[in-house]
Amino acid sequence: MILFRIKELVAEKEKRENRKVTLAEISQHTGVNRTSLSKMQNPDMKHSTTTSAIDSLCRFFDCNVEDIMVYVKDPE
């Protein structure tokens, strides 16, 4: 399964910039809907998204695609 690392990236950005980063701010800067961002944070939602959204998130967090999402084997 693909897991998004939005929570981790937010925490890293908050620490690096010494300020609070909200989903509303991320949405405003990336064009990714706040609801989609919220769903990405919840692994139970199994949210899918577009490459355009991933590109925007990479730009916002100044990171690579593999920093945004990771593959984890499903438990058998």
Side-chain angles (χ1 to χ4, degrees), residues 27-73:
S27 178
Q28 179 182 2
H29 283 78
T30 63
V32 178
N33 186 292
R34 189 184 175 288
T35 303
S36 292
L37 291 167
S38 183
K39 288 178 180 179
M40 285 181 203
Q41 290 187 86
N42 184 349
D44 295 331
M45 296 298 281
K46 297 189 180 185
H47 182 71
S48 66
T49 191
T50 64
T51 53
S52 176
I54 297 299
D55 182 61
S56 295
L57 290 169
C58 286
R59 199 171 315 112
F60 179 79
F61 288 112
D62 190 28
C63 67
N64 296 313
V65 172
E66 59 270 20
D67 298 322
I68 298 279
M69 53 189 180
V70 296
Y71 173 73
V72 177
K73 275 189 174 180

Side-chain angles (χ1 to χ4, degrees), residues 2-38:
I2 302 294
L3 295 179
F4 291 95
R5 298 188 61 251
I6 302 299
K7 284 183 183 180
E8 293 88 342
L9 290 167
V10 168
E12 291 168 11
K13 188 170 181 75
E14 287 179 337
K15 184 176 181 180
R16 187 172 57 246
E17 298 181 3
N18 196 31
R19 67 182 187 86
K20 183 79 174 151
V21 176
T22 65
L23 292 183
E25 176 189 352
I26 299 167
S27 178
Q28 179 182 2
H29 283 78
T30 63
V32 178
N33 186 292
R34 189 184 175 288
T35 303
S36 292
L37 291 167
S38 183

